[in-house]
Amino acid sequence: MTMSPLIDSYQRPVTYLRVSITDRCNLRCLYCMPEEGLQWLEAGNILTYNEIIRLVEVASRRGLRKVRITGGEPLVRPGVASLIEGLRAIEALSDVTLTTNGVFLKEQVAGLYRAGLRRINISLDSLNPATFAKIVRRDIFSRVWEGIEAAEQIGFDPIKINVVLQAGVNDHETDDFVRLTLKRPYHIRFIEYMPCANWDRWVATYRPFGPVKEVIEQEWGPLIPLGLPNEGDAGPAENFRVPGASGVIGFIHAVSHDFCGTCNRIRLTADGKMRPCLYSETAVDFKAALRGGCDDATLNRLLDHVMKVKPKYHELDLRPKEKQLLTMVNIGG
Ligand code: SAM
Ligand code: SF4
């Protein structure tokens, strides 16, 4: 039976799912998680890999093409390679990717590659070990760096490096990251700090990107534009190259611009709730249906409901400030 494609009420095709496979993490990034961690979900409450694979398979018959595995830290959950293998076996999916903090990457990179993973995003907010330790509250830079190098050696392409810029913390390092793109083929993605966990901290260290690009151009000359957000394979980044570089510099205007008009994504939380928008408070529960032995028609009805409730835009401006905070690890940031 041909199923209708996943298209929301505003005629946006939904082709991309971010799946959080755990809320747990071995780091405590200042902008994401408190020092003491969070009230973790119980193991029995998170979707099994088979449940995730089944749901993705159903959605892939309706146009889902790309899945990103995230968390929390996905590599703290055992057996991620088996999930990747299961997802790679879904013919209609053209892209399976993973976002990781890289702490367990060196050990797991060969297994991930064997399972069919080819694209990876690694978070690395500083090239300075001491600054990095302050941001993630762990002295772990060299392990992450070795993980990145191991990924490059084994053939991951592209390797994208996520850098959340915070004023007065790491924003003086943009030049070092640009210099890295001259030496390595990495895609550096500067991400605007989104309000999450701690409002006061966000107010103190959030800066929009306009000036960052200008500062880079003052030093390196005009950047060569490579594509607009959501264009082709660009994802949410506006991409550029410094003349002569093998790597790429991208800006993800997570806060200062709004790309809702071309949004193509939905998010699945570790405990099986589908969020139609990163910021939405609405979530559609799939776990109960999956565990109740439901048929595919039921999953499709739930997907239809997600399409119906996906908001036109994030509606942040309609909320009081304290309700604008995200809990990234729960929703698959
Ligand atoms: N633990 C993995 C990691 O750090 O890569 C995957 C999950 S993490 C929530 C996914 C991405 O969200 C990371 O690149 C992280 O830097 C980013 N992130 C987390 N909190 C953020 C915030 N408040 N603003 C912008 N990006 C954030
Ligand atoms: Fe963990 Fe990633 Fe959040 Fe940092 S950003 S605390 S690594 S989930």
mmCIF file with all atom_site columns, all heavy atoms in Angstrom, residues 49-50 53 69 77-89 111-112 115:
data_model
loop_
_atom_site.group_PDB
_atom_site.id
_atom_site.type_symbol
_atom_site.label_atom_id
_atom_site.label_alt_id
_atom_site.label_comp_id
_atom_site.label_asym_id
_atom_site.label_entity_id
_atom_site.label_seq_id
_atom_site.pdbx_PDB_ins_code
_atom_site.Cartn_x
_atom_site.Cartn_y
_atom_site.Cartn_z
_atom_site.occupancy
_atom_site.B_iso_or_equiv
_atom_site.pdbx_formal_charge
_atom_site.auth_seq_id
_atom_site.auth_comp_id
_atom_site.auth_asym_id
_atom_site.auth_atom_id
_atom_site.pdbx_PDB_model_num
ATOM 1   N N   . TYR A 1 49  ? 16.256 -0.697 20.886 1.00 0.00 ? 49  TYR A N   1
ATOM 2   C CA  . TYR A 1 49  ? 16.693 -0.453 19.517 1.00 0.00 ? 49  TYR A CA  1
ATOM 3   C C   . TYR A 1 49  ? 15.680 -1.009 18.515 1.00 0.00 ? 49  TYR A C   1
ATOM 4   O O   . TYR A 1 49  ? 15.413 -0.404 17.479 1.00 0.00 ? 49  TYR A O   1
ATOM 5   C CB  . TYR A 1 49  ? 18.081 -1.067 19.284 1.00 0.00 ? 49  TYR A CB  1
ATOM 6   C CG  . TYR A 1 49  ? 19.181 -0.349 20.051 1.00 0.00 ? 49  TYR A CG  1
ATOM 7   C CD1 . TYR A 1 49  ? 20.328 -1.024 20.474 1.00 0.00 ? 49  TYR A CD1 1
ATOM 8   C CD2 . TYR A 1 49  ? 19.081 1.012  20.331 1.00 0.00 ? 49  TYR A CD2 1
ATOM 9   C CE1 . TYR A 1 49  ? 21.343 -0.374 21.150 1.00 0.00 ? 49  TYR A CE1 1
ATOM 10  C CE2 . TYR A 1 49  ? 20.085 1.673  21.010 1.00 0.00 ? 49  TYR A CE2 1
ATOM 11  C CZ  . TYR A 1 49  ? 21.212 0.981  21.424 1.00 0.00 ? 49  TYR A CZ  1
ATOM 12  O OH  . TYR A 1 49  ? 22.204 1.637  22.092 1.00 0.00 ? 49  TYR A OH  1
ATOM 13  N N   . ASN A 1 50  ? 15.094 -2.184 18.833 1.00 0.00 ? 50  ASN A N   1
ATOM 14  C CA  . ASN A 1 50  ? 14.125 -2.745 17.886 1.00 0.00 ? 50  ASN A CA  1
ATOM 15  C C   . ASN A 1 50  ? 12.902 -1.850 17.744 1.00 0.00 ? 50  ASN A C   1
ATOM 16  O O   . ASN A 1 50  ? 12.341 -1.716 16.657 1.00 0.00 ? 50  ASN A O   1
ATOM 17  C CB  . ASN A 1 50  ? 13.699 -4.156 18.314 1.00 0.00 ? 50  ASN A CB  1
ATOM 18  C CG  . ASN A 1 50  ? 14.779 -5.169 17.966 1.00 0.00 ? 50  ASN A CG  1
ATOM 19  O OD1 . ASN A 1 50  ? 15.614 -4.898 17.094 1.00 0.00 ? 50  ASN A OD1 1
ATOM 20  N ND2 . ASN A 1 50  ? 14.782 -6.311 18.641 1.00 0.00 ? 50  ASN A ND2 1
ATOM 21  N N   . ILE A 1 53  ? 13.930 1.015  15.515 1.00 0.00 ? 53  ILE A N   1
ATOM 22  C CA  . ILE A 1 53  ? 14.078 0.585  14.115 1.00 0.00 ? 53  ILE A CA  1
ATOM 23  C C   . ILE A 1 53  ? 12.698 0.390  13.470 1.00 0.00 ? 53  ILE A C   1
ATOM 24  O O   . ILE A 1 53  ? 12.451 0.818  12.344 1.00 0.00 ? 53  ILE A O   1
ATOM 25  C CB  . ILE A 1 53  ? 14.931 -0.707 14.036 1.00 0.00 ? 53  ILE A CB  1
ATOM 26  C CG1 . ILE A 1 53  ? 16.386 -0.377 14.407 1.00 0.00 ? 53  ILE A CG1 1
ATOM 27  C CG2 . ILE A 1 53  ? 14.862 -1.339 12.647 1.00 0.00 ? 53  ILE A CG2 1
ATOM 28  C CD1 . ILE A 1 53  ? 17.255 -1.575 14.729 1.00 0.00 ? 53  ILE A CD1 1
ATOM 29  N N   . ILE A 1 69  ? 21.316 9.971  15.291 1.00 0.00 ? 69  ILE A N   1
ATOM 30  C CA  . ILE A 1 69  ? 21.292 9.396  16.636 1.00 0.00 ? 69  ILE A CA  1
ATOM 31  C C   . ILE A 1 69  ? 21.993 10.371 17.567 1.00 0.00 ? 69  ILE A C   1
ATOM 32  O O   . ILE A 1 69  ? 23.117 10.808 17.305 1.00 0.00 ? 69  ILE A O   1
ATOM 33  C CB  . ILE A 1 69  ? 22.011 8.032  16.646 1.00 0.00 ? 69  ILE A CB  1
ATOM 34  C CG1 . ILE A 1 69  ? 21.316 7.081  15.663 1.00 0.00 ? 69  ILE A CG1 1
ATOM 35  C CG2 . ILE A 1 69  ? 22.022 7.441  18.044 1.00 0.00 ? 69  ILE A CG2 1
ATOM 36  C CD1 . ILE A 1 69  ? 22.134 5.856  15.351 1.00 0.00 ? 69  ILE A CD1 1
ATOM 37  N N   . ARG A 1 77  ? 25.390 4.406  25.773 1.00 0.00 ? 77  ARG A N   1
ATOM 38  C CA  . ARG A 1 77  ? 24.445 3.284  25.725 1.00 0.00 ? 77  ARG A CA  1
ATOM 39  C C   . ARG A 1 77  ? 25.070 2.138  24.943 1.00 0.00 ? 77  ARG A C   1
ATOM 40  O O   . ARG A 1 77  ? 25.506 2.323  23.798 1.00 0.00 ? 77  ARG A O   1
ATOM 41  C CB  . ARG A 1 77  ? 23.126 3.732  25.069 1.00 0.00 ? 77  ARG A CB  1
ATOM 42  C CG  . ARG A 1 77  ? 22.105 2.609  25.040 1.00 0.00 ? 77  ARG A CG  1
ATOM 43  C CD  . ARG A 1 77  ? 20.707 3.108  24.763 1.00 0.00 ? 77  ARG A CD  1
ATOM 44  N NE  . ARG A 1 77  ? 19.823 1.980  24.509 1.00 0.00 ? 77  ARG A NE  1
ATOM 45  C CZ  . ARG A 1 77  ? 18.573 2.069  24.121 1.00 0.00 ? 77  ARG A CZ  1
ATOM 46  N NH1 . ARG A 1 77  ? 18.027 3.267  23.940 1.00 0.00 ? 77  ARG A NH1 1
ATOM 47  N NH2 . ARG A 1 77  ? 17.846 0.989  23.917 1.00 0.00 ? 77  ARG A NH2 1
ATOM 48  N N   . PRO A 1 78  ? 25.113 0.936  25.551 1.00 0.00 ? 78  PRO A N   1
ATOM 49  C CA  . PRO A 1 78  ? 25.782 -0.173 24.863 1.00 0.00 ? 78  PRO A CA  1
ATOM 50  C C   . PRO A 1 78  ? 25.096 -0.523 23.535 1.00 0.00 ? 78  PRO A C   1
ATOM 51  O O   . PRO A 1 78  ? 23.888 -0.369 23.400 1.00 0.00 ? 78  PRO A O   1
ATOM 52  C CB  . PRO A 1 78  ? 25.645 -1.341 25.854 1.00 0.00 ? 78  PRO A CB  1
ATOM 53  C CG  . PRO A 1 78  ? 25.343 -0.718 27.171 1.00 0.00 ? 78  PRO A CG  1
ATOM 54  C CD  . PRO A 1 78  ? 24.618 0.563  26.877 1.00 0.00 ? 78  PRO A CD  1
ATOM 55  N N   . GLY A 1 79  ? 25.906 -0.986 22.592 1.00 0.00 ? 79  GLY A N   1
ATOM 56  C CA  . GLY A 1 79  ? 25.360 -1.580 21.366 1.00 0.00 ? 79  GLY A CA  1
ATOM 57  C C   . GLY A 1 79  ? 24.882 -0.613 20.303 1.00 0.00 ? 79  GLY A C   1
ATOM 58  O O   . GLY A 1 79  ? 24.068 -0.997 19.450 1.00 0.00 ? 79  GLY A O   1
ATOM 59  N N   . VAL A 1 80  ? 25.379 0.639  20.318 1.00 0.00 ? 80  VAL A N   1
ATOM 60  C CA  . VAL A 1 80  ? 24.899 1.604  19.314 1.00 0.00 ? 80  VAL A CA  1
ATOM 61  C C   . VAL A 1 80  ? 25.149 1.079  17.893 1.00 0.00 ? 80  VAL A C   1
ATOM 62  O O   . VAL A 1 80  ? 24.342 1.303  16.984 1.00 0.00 ? 80  VAL A O   1
ATOM 63  C CB  . VAL A 1 80  ? 25.591 2.977  19.489 1.00 0.00 ? 80  VAL A CB  1
ATOM 64  C CG1 . VAL A 1 80  ? 25.083 3.981  18.477 1.00 0.00 ? 80  VAL A CG1 1
ATOM 65  C CG2 . VAL A 1 80  ? 25.345 3.502  20.887 1.00 0.00 ? 80  VAL A CG2 1
ATOM 66  N N   . ALA A 1 81  ? 26.263 0.334  17.709 1.00 0.00 ? 81  ALA A N   1
ATOM 67  C CA  . ALA A 1 81  ? 26.571 -0.167 16.361 1.00 0.00 ? 81  ALA A CA  1
ATOM 68  C C   . ALA A 1 81  ? 25.429 -1.059 15.854 1.00 0.00 ? 81  ALA A C   1
ATOM 69  O O   . ALA A 1 81  ? 25.083 -1.029 14.664 1.00 0.00 ? 81  ALA A O   1
ATOM 70  C CB  . ALA A 1 81  ? 27.891 -0.928 16.372 1.00 0.00 ? 81  ALA A CB  1
ATOM 71  N N   . SER A 1 82  ? 24.807 -1.823 16.765 1.00 0.00 ? 82  SER A N   1
ATOM 72  C CA  . SER A 1 82  ? 23.721 -2.705 16.301 1.00 0.00 ? 82  SER A CA  1
ATOM 73  C C   . SER A 1 82  ? 22.516 -1.871 15.856 1.00 0.00 ? 82  SER A C   1
ATOM 74  O O   . SER A 1 82  ? 21.815 -2.235 14.910 1.00 0.00 ? 82  SER A O   1
ATOM 75  C CB  . SER A 1 82  ? 23.333 -3.718 17.387 1.00 0.00 ? 82  SER A CB  1
ATOM 76  O OG  . SER A 1 82  ? 22.693 -3.041 18.448 1.00 0.00 ? 82  SER A OG  1
ATOM 77  N N   . LEU A 1 83  ? 22.281 -0.737 16.512 1.00 0.00 ? 83  LEU A N   1
ATOM 78  C CA  . LEU A 1 83  ? 21.194 0.142  16.085 1.00 0.00 ? 83  LEU A CA  1
ATOM 79  C C   . LEU A 1 83  ? 21.509 0.691  14.687 1.00 0.00 ? 83  LEU A C   1
ATOM 80  O O   . LEU A 1 83  ? 20.640 0.723  13.804 1.00 0.00 ? 83  LEU A O   1
ATOM 81  C CB  . LEU A 1 83  ? 21.021 1.293  17.083 1.00 0.00 ? 83  LEU A CB  1
ATOM 82  C CG  . LEU A 1 83  ? 20.067 2.406  16.645 1.00 0.00 ? 83  LEU A CG  1
ATOM 83  C CD1 . LEU A 1 83  ? 18.634 1.897  16.485 1.00 0.00 ? 83  LEU A CD1 1
ATOM 84  C CD2 . LEU A 1 83  ? 20.086 3.578  17.642 1.00 0.00 ? 83  LEU A CD2 1
ATOM 85  N N   . ILE A 1 84  ? 22.752 1.094  14.503 1.00 0.00 ? 84  ILE A N   1
ATOM 86  C CA  . ILE A 1 84  ? 23.131 1.653  13.198 1.00 0.00 ? 84  ILE A CA  1
ATOM 87  C C   . ILE A 1 84  ? 22.963 0.614  12.097 1.00 0.00 ? 84  ILE A C   1
ATOM 88  O O   . ILE A 1 84  ? 22.405 0.886  11.033 1.00 0.00 ? 84  ILE A O   1
ATOM 89  C CB  . ILE A 1 84  ? 24.569 2.194  13.255 1.00 0.00 ? 84  ILE A CB  1
ATOM 90  C CG1 . ILE A 1 84  ? 24.548 3.489  14.079 1.00 0.00 ? 84  ILE A CG1 1
ATOM 91  C CG2 . ILE A 1 84  ? 25.143 2.456  11.868 1.00 0.00 ? 84  ILE A CG2 1
ATOM 92  C CD1 . ILE A 1 84  ? 25.867 3.943  14.569 1.00 0.00 ? 84  ILE A CD1 1
ATOM 93  N N   . GLU A 1 85  ? 23.381 -0.606 12.415 1.00 0.00 ? 85  GLU A N   1
ATOM 94  C CA  . GLU A 1 85  ? 23.239 -1.677 11.422 1.00 0.00 ? 85  GLU A CA  1
ATOM 95  C C   . GLU A 1 85  ? 21.765 -1.856 11.058 1.00 0.00 ? 85  GLU A C   1
ATOM 96  O O   . GLU A 1 85  ? 21.416 -1.974 9.881  1.00 0.00 ? 85  GLU A O   1
ATOM 97  C CB  . GLU A 1 85  ? 23.780 -2.963 12.030 1.00 0.00 ? 85  GLU A CB  1
ATOM 98  C CG  . GLU A 1 85  ? 24.592 -3.766 11.080 1.00 0.00 ? 85  GLU A CG  1
ATOM 99  C CD  . GLU A 1 85  ? 25.314 -4.874 11.840 1.00 0.00 ? 85  GLU A CD  1
ATOM 100 O OE1 . GLU A 1 85  ? 26.173 -4.563 12.700 1.00 0.00 ? 85  GLU A OE1 1
ATOM 101 O OE2 . GLU A 1 85  ? 24.965 -6.028 11.604 1.00 0.00 ? 85  GLU A OE2 1
ATOM 102 N N   . GLY A 1 86  ? 20.920 -1.854 12.077 1.00 0.00 ? 86  GLY A N   1
ATOM 103 C CA  . GLY A 1 86  ? 19.484 -2.025 11.838 1.00 0.00 ? 86  GLY A CA  1
ATOM 104 C C   . GLY A 1 86  ? 18.918 -0.877 11.006 1.00 0.00 ? 86  GLY A C   1
ATOM 105 O O   . GLY A 1 86  ? 18.103 -1.096 10.107 1.00 0.00 ? 86  GLY A O   1
ATOM 106 N N   . LEU A 1 87  ? 19.371 0.337  11.281 1.00 0.00 ? 87  LEU A N   1
ATOM 107 C CA  . LEU A 1 87  ? 18.862 1.493  10.529 1.00 0.00 ? 87  LEU A CA  1
ATOM 108 C C   . LEU A 1 87  ? 19.384 1.485  9.096  1.00 0.00 ? 87  LEU A C   1
ATOM 109 O O   . LEU A 1 87  ? 18.683 1.811  8.149  1.00 0.00 ? 87  LEU A O   1
ATOM 110 C CB  . LEU A 1 87  ? 19.259 2.800  11.229 1.00 0.00 ? 87  LEU A CB  1
ATOM 111 C CG  . LEU A 1 87  ? 18.593 3.067  12.586 1.00 0.00 ? 87  LEU A CG  1
ATOM 112 C CD1 . LEU A 1 87  ? 19.200 4.296  13.260 1.00 0.00 ? 87  LEU A CD1 1
ATOM 113 C CD2 . LEU A 1 87  ? 17.078 3.243  12.443 1.00 0.00 ? 87  LEU A CD2 1
ATOM 114 N N   . ARG A 1 88  ? 20.662 1.081  8.953  1.00 0.00 ? 88  ARG A N   1
ATOM 115 C CA  . ARG A 1 88  ? 21.256 1.057  7.610  1.00 0.00 ? 88  ARG A CA  1
ATOM 116 C C   . ARG A 1 88  ? 20.555 0.037  6.711  1.00 0.00 ? 88  ARG A C   1
ATOM 117 O O   . ARG A 1 88  ? 20.598 0.135  5.492  1.00 0.00 ? 88  ARG A O   1
ATOM 118 C CB  . ARG A 1 88  ? 22.755 0.720  7.688  1.00 0.00 ? 88  ARG A CB  1
ATOM 119 C CG  . ARG A 1 88  ? 23.581 1.790  8.377  1.00 0.00 ? 88  ARG A CG  1
ATOM 120 C CD  . ARG A 1 88  ? 23.852 2.981  7.524  1.00 0.00 ? 88  ARG A CD  1
ATOM 121 N NE  . ARG A 1 88  ? 24.560 2.608  6.301  1.00 0.00 ? 88  ARG A NE  1
ATOM 122 C CZ  . ARG A 1 88  ? 24.663 3.357  5.230  1.00 0.00 ? 88  ARG A CZ  1
ATOM 123 N NH1 . ARG A 1 88  ? 24.081 4.534  5.203  1.00 0.00 ? 88  ARG A NH1 1
ATOM 124 N NH2 . ARG A 1 88  ? 25.330 2.943  4.174  1.00 0.00 ? 88  ARG A NH2 1
ATOM 125 N N   . ALA A 1 89  ? 19.928 -0.973 7.357  1.00 0.00 ? 89  ALA A N   1
ATOM 126 C CA  . ALA A 1 89  ? 19.246 -1.999 6.562  1.00 0.00 ? 89  ALA A CA  1
ATOM 127 C C   . ALA A 1 89  ? 17.897 -1.501 6.020  1.00 0.00 ? 89  ALA A C   1
ATOM 128 O O   . ALA A 1 89  ? 17.277 -2.156 5.201  1.00 0.00 ? 89  ALA A O   1
ATOM 129 C CB  . ALA A 1 89  ? 19.039 -3.249 7.428  1.00 0.00 ? 89  ALA A CB  1
ATOM 130 N N   . GLY A 1 111 ? 33.870 -0.151 15.202 1.00 0.00 ? 111 GLY A N   1
ATOM 131 C CA  . GLY A 1 111 ? 32.583 -0.853 15.198 1.00 0.00 ? 111 GLY A CA  1
ATOM 132 C C   . GLY A 1 111 ? 31.496 -0.028 14.523 1.00 0.00 ? 111 GLY A C   1
ATOM 133 O O   . GLY A 1 111 ? 30.661 -0.555 13.782 1.00 0.00 ? 111 GLY A O   1
ATOM 134 N N   . LEU A 1 112 ? 31.531 1.280  14.760 1.00 0.00 ? 112 LEU A N   1
ATOM 135 C CA  . LEU A 1 112 ? 30.528 2.160  14.150 1.00 0.00 ? 112 LEU A CA  1
ATOM 136 C C   . LEU A 1 112 ? 30.705 2.173  12.629 1.00 0.00 ? 112 LEU A C   1
ATOM 137 O O   . LEU A 1 112 ? 29.744 2.116  11.870 1.00 0.00 ? 112 LEU A O   1
ATOM 138 C CB  . LEU A 1 112 ? 30.656 3.586  14.705 1.00 0.00 ? 112 LEU A CB  1
ATOM 139 C CG  . LEU A 1 112 ? 30.343 3.760  16.198 1.00 0.00 ? 112 LEU A CG  1
ATOM 140 C CD1 . LEU A 1 112 ? 30.730 5.154  16.684 1.00 0.00 ? 112 LEU A CD1 1
ATOM 141 C CD2 . LEU A 1 112 ? 28.865 3.504  16.475 1.00 0.00 ? 112 LEU A CD2 1
ATOM 142 N N   . ALA A 1 115 ? 29.535 -0.958 11.103 1.00 0.00 ? 115 ALA A N   1
ATOM 143 C CA  . ALA A 1 115 ? 28.063 -1.033 11.086 1.00 0.00 ? 115 ALA A CA  1
ATOM 144 C C   . ALA A 1 115 ? 27.467 -0.185 9.960  1.00 0.00 ? 115 ALA A C   1
ATOM 145 O O   . ALA A 1 115 ? 26.271 -0.246 9.700  1.00 0.00 ? 115 ALA A O   1
ATOM 146 C CB  . ALA A 1 115 ? 27.508 -0.570 12.427 1.00 0.00 ? 115 ALA A CB  1
#
